[in-house]
Amino acid sequence: MPMIFLRRAGGVLMILVALVAAVVAALAAFFCAAFATALVPVLVAAALVAFFATFFLSCWAGLALFGLQRSQRPAAVAAAVATVVFGAAAGVPLFRPMPRPVGPPPGSDVRFWDLPTGSRIAYSHIPAVGRPRPAPVVFLHGGPGTANDGISPAGRALAADGFDVYAYDQLGSGRSTRLPDIRGYTVARQVADLDAIRRRLGADKIILIGQSWGGELAGHYLAAHPEHVAKAVLSSPGVLWYGASRERASGELWDRLSPRQRERAESLASSPRMSAAQLLAEVNPSAAHALLGDDEADELFRRILDASVSAAQCPGRPPASLPANRPGFYVNQMTIADAQTLPDPRPRLRTVTVPTLVMRGECDYKDWQVTYDYRRTLPGSTLVYVPHAGHAIAMDQPAVYLAVVRAYLLGHRLPLPPYTAATPPT
């Protein structure tokens, strides 16, 4: 009796070992197959075949070792049943339909540019009141991928001052083109789109106003085409060169989330489908895109942003709300990844004398050196420190933001003094 008990216990143990080995083999096969193809059915088939084969061989060999089975048929049946159960258990959360975005339809003021770069770009335009000034204003939104709802109140005020004002949804976000191959989302593509827009406007020079990533994009455009920029305003600009900073897209924002906000963001970011897509993106971005399409990825991205947007503000400010426009998940992920591989643009920018205003909010979550890198790199730059403002200065202090931007563009005295120290105020 003890011998029979030990044999059966050993058999149960071997089945459990076979199950674990089969799961590991299935996951390995799923992601290894992505090196060769982006077809999700092929990835699933590879995982199921690996699970069946590993479970069958491990189970049959283990049970035979304990003298509990000589025929392969029981092991084959057990492997088939286990494969069906595994496929259902893994497939339901992985392929369950997810919420899709319900973004605003293009309004009457939204138009489209079909650029020679291949991008179809949605934009809004407010013509100048009176005779237009020589250089139009182009607003660059943040993210990458967090498109605004057309032209802001600040843009409308600048139109009243005689500027032609444009705001556009960058490639991969809002109502603009989503690329079938997400590897096409690069900093160079965004710079090329912006220069194509300048040429479409028929402007030799443009004025750039960039928020967060938009400021970073303006910096890359300045490095590539300084002769085509009349002035630039960089509000809470992103990382100029990642080689000089370990700060990433989320930066210190994650540390500012409340436990409830962090739990919400983590639950969205770690959903089975999102997790699988992010792992696949490391192997084959096209496979990630095939598994988690733009509609579902963009809606997940919106919910993650919604869970964390208030942490980017100064404490006590009225709660912020996201634009109704649709964000772009893949342009965010791929453009940031591309930016982290770029060579240092600062040697080139040190020769650029374009007048540039750099704005920094008191409660900005980005490291001080991220902002100050622009001030010490661009010889024609002025830094302004805005009290009681977070990362989105125009949201926390709209009146101050508008007053500073208008004064700078119109050549008037700034309502806040330039900040000249290399360290932040204490």
Side-chain angles (χ1 to χ4, degrees):
M1 181 67 70
M3 184 58 68
I4 295 176
F5 175 79
L6 290 175
R7 290 170 61 189
R8 290 180 177 176
V12 170
L13 178 61
M14 292 307 301
I15 292 174
L16 293 176
V17 170
L19 181 61
V20 172
V23 170
V24 172
L27 293 175
F30 183 84
F31 290 105
C32 287
F35 282 102
T37 181
L39 295 175
V40 175
V42 175
L43 306 185
V44 172
L48 294 178
V49 168
F51 183 94
F52 176 87
T54 303
F55 189 93
F56 166 71
L57 292 174
S58 300
C59 187
W60 176 66
L63 294 178
L65 179 66
F66 286 92
L68 297 175
Q69 178 177 303
R70 295 179 181 277
S71 171
Q72 296 180 355
R73 184 173 179 179
V77 171
V81 172
T83 301
V84 171
V85 173
F86 168 77
V92 168
L94 194 60
F95 296 105
R96 179 189 295 128
M98 301 176 69
R100 295 172 182 268
V102 183
S108 59
D109 65 332
V110 176
R111 306 171 190 176
F112 291 88
W113 287 308
D114 289 307
L115 302 179
T117 58
S119 302
R120 180 171 172 79
I121 298 296
Y123 74 97
S124 298
H125 170 224
I126 297 183
V129 174
R131 185 177 180 180
R133 296 177 185 271
V137 169
V138 180
F139 278 86
L140 306 175
H141 64 72
T146 53
N148 295 322
D149 294 331
I151 294 176
S152 65
R156 296 180 184 278
L158 292 176
D161 287 329
F163 294 96
D164 264 330
V165 178
Y166 294 85
Y168 71 97
D169 299 350
Q170 295 162 24
L171 176 71
S173 65
R175 291 152 291 204
S176 293
T177 303
R178 297 300 192 278
L179 295 179
D181 184 352
I182 62 174
R183 291 170 294 187
Y185 293 128
T186 62
V187 175
R189 176 65 175 268
Q190 298 287 1
V191 170
D193 280 350
L194 179 53
D195 197 53
I197 289 169
R198 178 195 61 80
R199 286 183 271 115
R200 179 62 62 90
L201 298 180
D204 180 58
K205 290 180 181 290
I206 55 179
I207 296 170
L208 298 177
I209 301 181
Q211 160 65 28
S212 191
W213 147 255
E216 185 179 339
L217 173 57
H220 286 290
Y221 188 84
L222 279 168
H225 306 287
E227 70 280 9
H228 294 307
V229 183
K231 286 186 176 182
V233 176
L234 315 181
S235 179
S236 308
V239 179
L240 183 57
W241 183 51
Y242 281 85
S245 174
R246 295 182 179 179
E247 206 266 359
R248 291 297 181 256
S250 60
E252 297 174 358
L253 181 63
W254 188 258
D255 297 330
R256 294 192 181 186
L257 297 181
S258 68
R260 186 173 181 179
Q261 288 174 319
R262 190 173 299 179
E263 181 181 359
R264 172 65 175 161
E266 285 178 338
S267 67
L268 291 166
S270 61
S271 64
R273 201 160 182 178
M274 177 67 89
S275 298
Q278 290 179 323
L279 289 171
L280 279 175
E282 299 294 326
V283 176
N284 184 345
S286 296
H289 191 212
L291 175 66
L292 184 67
D294 287 303
D295 287 349
E296 294 171 321
D298 290 353
E299 180 58 22
L300 269 175
F301 187 34
R302 166 178 287 283
R303 296 184 181 200
I304 293 171
L305 290 171
D306 190 54
S308 57
V309 64
S310 63
Q313 297 182 266
C314 266
R317 303 305 302 171
S321 58
L322 292 175
N325 210 348
R326 176 177 167 182
F329 172 75
Y330 283 112
V331 69
N332 177 273
Q333 299 294 296
M334 300 304 293
T335 307
I336 291 172
D338 177 64
Q340 295 172 6
T341 68
L342 296 180
D344 190 352
R346 295 175 301 174
R348 168 67 168 158
L349 288 173
R350 291 188 183 105
T351 68
V352 173
T353 58
V354 173
T356 302
L357 175 66
V358 182
M359 301 179 71
R360 165 82 183 193
E362 176 185 2
C363 306
D364 195 344
Y365 64 84
K366 289 186 177 293
D367 186 81
W368 167 263
Q369 293 303 322
V370 170
T371 306
Y372 194 74
D373 208 12
Y374 289 85
R375 171 63 190 90
R376 66 176 164 222
T377 299
L378 291 162
S381 64
T382 300
L383 174 62
V384 170
Y385 187 84
V386 183
H388 312 301
H391 186 62
I393 300 172
M395 183 184 300
D396 278 357
Q397 295 290 343
V400 176
Y401 172 85
L402 176 57
V404 172
V405 171
R406 287 184 68 200
Y408 190 77
L409 296 189
L410 295 172
H412 298 164
R413 182 178 179 179
L414 294 177
L416 293 176
Y419 188 83
T420 57
T423 56
T426 55

